[in-house]
Amino acid sequence: MQRVAAAVLGVGMASISAAGWRTAQPASPLGVGVAGAAVAADTGQRLTRDQVVEALAKATDKAPADFSGDDLSGLDLSGVDFKQANLSHARLVGTRFV
């Protein structure tokens, strides 16, 4: 429930804990962590189609491709299989999937 409320209100960002689990932490409206440093899991890294396809090719059931927080906006990803991918909080404005 806490994650749902944070997502609806836009008050939380995800990060990776030492155990490898995503954890929520407070964030400012600018997407900067409380301590003033950007959160690693939500880097907003701008990716190309080739980078997405390469990451998906390396993905496995135990180690899925993680695009959470990445910027995939405007890419033509038609025909790309995202079965083994995490797209949580990815920016997908204008991205083509079909």
Side-chain angles (χ1 to χ4, degrees):
M1 183 68 167
Q2 191 174 28
R3 285 185 183 199
V4 173
V8 171
L9 297 174
V11 295
M13 291 179 64
S15 65
I16 305 297
S17 70
W21 291 94
R22 290 190 155 296
T23 58
Q25 59 178 250
S28 75
L30 300 175
V32 176
V34 174
V39 178
D42 289 331
T43 62
Q45 180 179 350
R46 177 90 171 131
L47 300 178
T48 66
R49 177 185 168 89
D50 290 339
Q51 289 172 313
V52 170
V53 171
E54 181 180 344
L56 288 167
K58 294 177 182 178
T60 66
D61 287 335
K62 294 186 183 209
D66 187 10
F67 301 112
S68 56
D70 289 338
D71 185 357
L72 309 178
S73 297
L75 297 179
D76 182 359
L77 299 173
S78 302
V80 176
D81 181 2
F82 284 94
K83 287 180 193 163
Q84 296 179 341
N86 178 0
L87 293 170
S88 301
H89 305 286
R91 184 168 170 84
L92 303 170
V93 177
T95 302
R96 288 185 50 169
F97 292 100
V98 184

